[in-house]
């Protein structure tokens, strides 16, 4: 459901579903999706928290790593 709401630009609901999914089945993609949801909700603190966790678990994503560094400034 999170992806559905994200595509509908309902980032609040998307974040709720991603958060629930993360509790039952944690994976790196969910950290990225949660971070992006919070980014679009203008919750910078939470966005950075989840996106940094994503990069910790997936350090090979150089493009996203650059974006996070730029966004964090």
């Amino acid at each position: 459901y999170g992806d559905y709401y994200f595509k509908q630009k309902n980032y609040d609901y998307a974040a709720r579903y991603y958060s629930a999914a993360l509790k039952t089945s944690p994976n790196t993609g969910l950290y990225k999706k949660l971070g992006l949801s919070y980014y679009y909700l203008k919750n910078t603190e939470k966005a950075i928290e989840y996106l940094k966790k994503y990069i910790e678990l997936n350090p090979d994503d150089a493009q996203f790593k650059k974006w996070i560094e730029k966004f964090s400034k």
Side-chain angles (χ1 to χ4, degrees), residues 11-41:
Y11 303 114
D12 186 47
Y13 272 59
R16 290 181 194 188
Y17 280 100
Y18 291 145
S19 185
L22 192 62
K23 290 177 185 173
T24 60
S25 179
N27 69 57
T28 56
L30 288 171
Y31 287 106
K32 183 177 181 178
K33 291 176 180 184
L34 257 171
L36 290 173
S37 295
Y38 283 118
Y39 170 79
Y40 288 118
L41 288 169

Side-chain angles (χ1 to χ4, degrees), residues 9-68:
K9 298 183 180 182
N10 188 338
Y11 303 114
D12 186 47
Y13 272 59
R16 290 181 194 188
Y17 280 100
Y18 291 145
S19 185
L22 192 62
K23 290 177 185 173
T24 60
S25 179
N27 69 57
T28 56
L30 288 171
Y31 287 106
K32 183 177 181 178
K33 291 176 180 184
L34 257 171
L36 290 173
S37 295
Y38 283 118
Y39 170 79
Y40 288 118
L41 288 169
K42 309 235 185 289
N43 187 333
T44 306
E45 188 176 312
K46 280 195 171 191
I48 291 171
E49 174 187 339
Y50 285 107
L51 294 173
K52 282 186 176 180
K53 183 67 174 173
Y54 166 74
I55 288 297
E56 283 177 26
L57 299 170
N58 194 10
D60 295 332
D61 191 338
Q63 181 181 7
F64 208 74
K65 193 174 186 177
K66 277 186 177 180
W67 185 82
I68 291 171

